[in-house]
Amino acid sequence: MLKVAPSILAADMLNMERDVQRMIDAGTDWLHVDIMDAHFVPNLSYSPALVEALHVRFPALPLDVHLMMDNPEKYIDVFCDAGASVLTIHAEIGGDVAALLRRIRARGVMAGLSVKPGTPAEAIRHLLPEADMVLVMTVEPGFGGQKFNADMLGKLDDLRKMGYTGLLEADGGVSMKNIADLRAHGLDVAVMGTAMLRSQTPAEDMTSIHALA
Ligand code: DX5
Ligand code: ZN
């Protein structure tokens, strides 16, 4: 079943608890939390304290934490301790990405590996055995509400052709308009910020996403 991970970047910051509860009531699978450092991406968002607060308030909700930051090694344990269920780092950070993925796994947390639109699947071939999930960015990371890049559907195909059997997640501009296409290309987890947080009918939307073959 295709999972939904609403991105709380699109939540009303002063009504975070209400908006997350609304997603839970609508039947969400995961919650996507974007961490931005104003360096790897030109924006700044959230911290481990929010992840911890969410985990304490909603202990049954898997938190899918997307680290858009340089030097994530300093924060892997911090986010694992805070309650992340999935912790995703970017392939473009350089250094020993494989070792970081192994560190995440060693904490009993699912290790995610993200690629920006300009990074081809081939560039992460050697890292695939270390990744429980590959997050394919379908916009340039940094901001919600951008237009979906349909060229990235081919990257999902490329990863499967390379024999990758882990989870595939897409993030950026995902909506009810492109979700069936994404599923047809093997998507397992749909991050949806604007499209789900601002939907008037989130329960219906999630039901139809869950019904996709
Ligand atoms: C963008 C973030 C996304 C963002 C998606 O860099 O990684 O998770 O919240 O927002 P939408 O779904 O509005 O494109
Ligand atoms: Zn994200």
Side-chain angles (χ1 to χ4, degrees):
M1 189 178 76
L2 178 54
K3 287 183 166 61
V4 185
S7 173
I8 53 162
L9 198 60
D12 175 349
M13 208 118 27
L14 296 184
N15 287 289
M16 184 67 77
E17 184 178 26
R18 178 203 69 188
D19 282 4
V20 174
Q21 188 64 56
R22 194 163 160 264
M23 294 297 105
I24 292 171
D25 294 345
T28 197
D29 302 285
W30 291 1
L31 189 74
H32 186 81
V33 185
D34 288 306
I35 308 292
M36 307 189 194
D37 68 350
H39 193 258
F40 180 77
V41 287
N43 197 3
L44 194 55
S45 76
Y46 304 149
S47 75
L50 177 65
V51 174
E52 188 175 2
L54 288 165
H55 184 58
V56 169
R57 176 65 184 85
F58 305 105
L61 179 63
L63 300 175
D64 173 33
V65 179
H66 178 191
L67 299 184
M68 284 164 277
M69 62 190 298
D70 286 315
N71 306 117
E73 61 275 7
K74 294 179 187 165
Y75 289 94
I76 285 174
D77 284 322
V78 175
F79 281 104
C80 290
D81 291 343
S85 292
V86 186
L87 191 57
T88 296
I89 58 174
H90 266 267
E92 298 85 3
I93 55 174
D96 195 348
V97 175
L100 298 185
L101 291 169
R102 284 195 289 269
R103 265 185 61 193
I104 296 169
R105 270 187 174 167
R107 289 292 316 257
V109 170
M110 285 175 63
L113 176 65
S114 183
V115 279
K116 298 205 268 186
T119 303
E122 194 57 46
I124 59 166
R125 182 188 284 274
H126 63 295
L127 296 170
L128 295 178
E130 319 288 350
D132 298 304
M133 184 176 83
V134 174
L135 190 177
V136 173
M137 288 301 309
T138 41
V139 299
E140 285 300 328
F143 299 91
Q146 302 182 75
K147 187 175 176 292
F148 178 76
N149 179 347
D151 293 345
M152 296 302 117
L153 293 170
K155 198 182 286 187
L156 299 176
D157 296 338
D158 292 345
L159 288 160
R160 290 299 185 214
K161 278 187 213 142
M162 287 160 65
Y164 185 64
T165 55
L167 297 177
L168 288 178
E169 180 176 64
D171 183 7
V174 177
S175 74
M176 298 312 286
K177 289 189 190 130
N178 48 43
I179 194 79
D181 268 353
L182 283 160
R183 182 59 170 173
H185 288 263
L187 194 74
D188 299 296
V189 187
V191 176
M192 297 172 84
T194 312
M196 198 53 78
L197 269 299
R198 309 276 161 88
S199 172
Q200 299 303 308
T201 54
E204 284 168 36
D205 296 350
M206 287 191 205
T207 300
S208 57
I209 291 170
H210 288 151
L212 289 171

